[in-house]
Amino acid sequence: MNATLTADVLQDELAVLLARVLAAANKRARELGVDVLQSFITITQSFENGPRWRVNYGPKDYLGRRGGDLIIEVDAGDISIKQVLRGQ
């Protein structure tokens, strides 16, 4: 899916930040063997250990399934990976 981003979209600081966060998390998820395109992805903002974004990768067919998710916490300031958690 290709889309041309307009100047007003690129000036939306939150949108650009989330794009950077998701790109960093996707890179780590792929390194850990997750098929990102086949994942149900949710993003949650957290302030427990400073401003962070928690990106959760789960199966698209999640009904009746438990565990197995990959959770990657990304620092909102420098877009570094702070924590990687695997569900059981």
Side-chain angles (χ1 to χ4, degrees):
M1 176 171 85
N2 292 330
T4 302
L5 299 177
T6 59
D8 59 327
V9 170
L10 293 174
Q11 290 183 8
D12 182 334
E13 292 179 22
L14 181 58
V16 173
L17 173 64
L18 281 172
R20 294 178 65 214
V21 164
L22 188 57
N26 283 349
K27 180 180 181 205
R28 178 59 62 91
R30 286 187 187 102
E31 292 170 354
L32 295 170
V34 171
D35 185 349
V36 172
L37 294 177
Q38 293 303 313
S39 295
F40 181 75
I41 301 171
T42 58
I43 303 172
T44 307
Q45 192 174 24
S46 170
F47 294 97
E48 292 174 24
N49 298 311
R52 292 185 181 185
W53 292 93
R54 182 174 279 187
V55 183
N56 186 85
Y57 298 86
K60 281 187 179 179
D61 56 341
Y62 60 88
L63 292 178
R65 293 182 66 172
R66 292 185 58 199
D69 289 12
L70 175 68
I71 300 168
I72 300 176
E73 282 194 3
V74 182
D75 186 281
D78 62 4
I79 315 300
S80 62
I81 304 297
K82 293 299 181 186
Q83 188 171 25
V84 176
L85 304 166
R86 280 204 179 265
Q88 302 257 346

